């Protein structure tokens, strides 16, 4: 794990404004040709699963509005950052409810693993954002059900309909 102090950065050229610049020497230690996923602790809060990205002037990780508000981050005051390489299989912690279904449903697991890493992370994130265990299980069931019916073709509009269906059970 590597620690450093940094201020919040802001790009003026797109809608992904706020970020934490990561010094080149640190970024290079965290990745290789195929791996840019990292764990970040900000002000000793975390870890947050993030991806190192490159702009012309620096490496960085994006910081969303919720995290900026939660940790009171701004462009004036430096804060502590800790970073380490993310060794997790999917670049995000898998909720127990979702993992149980992947372990028990061979077809669902195969369809899930055939998705791109970004789509896998998106689905895991959808389940992770739910606080209630029962609701996480319903989301997980809807995802596996959708993947099996659609034979692995992810359609978020259709998936949202399955979320509604499973929420009404």
């Amino acid at each position: 794990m590597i620690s450093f102090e940094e201020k919040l950065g802001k790009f003026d050229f797109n809608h992904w404004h706020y970020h934490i610049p990561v010094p080149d020497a640190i970024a290079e230690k965290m990745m290789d040709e195929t791996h840019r996923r990292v764990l970040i602790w900000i002000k000793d809060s975390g870890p947050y699963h993030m991806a190192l990205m490159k702009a012309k002037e620096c490496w960085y990780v994006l910081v969303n509005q919720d995290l900026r508000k939660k940790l009171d981050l701004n462009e004036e005051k430096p804060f502590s950052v800790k970073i380490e390489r993310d060794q997790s299989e999917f670049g995000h912690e898998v909720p127990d409810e979702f993992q149980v279904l992947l372990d028990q449903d061979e077809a669902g697991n195969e369809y899930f693993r055939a998705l791109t890493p970004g789509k896998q992370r998106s689905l895991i994130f959808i389940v992770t954002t739910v606080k209630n265990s029962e609701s996480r299980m319903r989301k997980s069931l809807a995802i596996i059900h959708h993947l099996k019916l659609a034979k692995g073709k992810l359609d978020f509009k259709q998936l949202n309909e399955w979320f509604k269906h499973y929420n009404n059970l």
Side-chain angles (χ1 to χ4, degrees), residues 7-54:
K7 292 181 186 175
L8 194 64
K10 182 179 178 189
F11 294 126
D12 292 325
F13 58 84
N14 66 21
H15 62 282
W16 298 105
H17 294 291
Y18 293 99
H19 63 279
I20 299 171
V22 178
D24 288 352
I26 294 174
E28 289 167 9
K29 290 179 183 178
M30 295 294 129
M31 61 186 177
D32 58 37
E33 297 82 32
T34 60
H35 190 98
R36 293 186 178 187
R37 303 295 302 177
V38 292
L39 296 172
I40 301 281
W41 288 260
I42 305 167
K43 293 183 170 181
D44 293 321
S45 176
Y48 301 102
H49 294 263
M50 297 184 173
L52 283 166
M53 300 199 291
K54 180 71 170 161

Side-chain angles (χ1 to χ4, degrees), residues 102-114:
L102 291 175
D103 292 344
Q104 293 178 355
D105 191 318
E106 189 175 322
N109 187 19
E110 286 178 20
Y111 285 128
F112 178 75
R113 289 178 181 281

Side-chain angles (χ1 to χ4, degrees), residues 35-42 45-52 61-64 67 84-95 121 124-125 128:
H35 190 98
R36 293 186 178 187
R37 303 295 302 177
V38 292
L39 296 172
I40 301 281
W41 288 260
I42 305 167
S45 176
Y48 301 102
H49 294 263
M50 297 184 173
L52 283 166
V61 292
L62 292 173
V63 182
N64 66 27
L67 197 52
E84 74 178 30
R85 187 177 172 123
D86 187 342
Q87 303 291 346
S88 64
E89 181 178 7
F90 300 110
H92 204 291
E93 185 176 330
V94 180
R121 279 191 302 277
I124 292 168
F125 180 75
T128 303

Side-chain angles (χ1 to χ4, degrees), residues 57-75:
E57 63 274 2
C58 68
W59 285 96
Y60 65 95
V61 292
L62 292 173
V63 182
N64 66 27
Q65 182 177 5
D66 291 341
L67 197 52
R68 290 192 317 269
K69 285 183 180 180
K70 175 183 171 185
L71 301 176
D72 191 29
L73 304 178
N74 61 57
E75 297 171 71

Side-chain angles (χ1 to χ4, degrees), residues 132-150:
N132 176 302
S133 179
E134 186 177 317
S135 296
R136 282 193 303 272
M137 181 54 82
R138 283 197 299 268
K139 289 254 192 224
S140 299
L141 286 166
I143 289 168
I144 297 299
H145 185 137
H146 169 70
L147 288 175
K148 287 168 58 177
L149 284 177

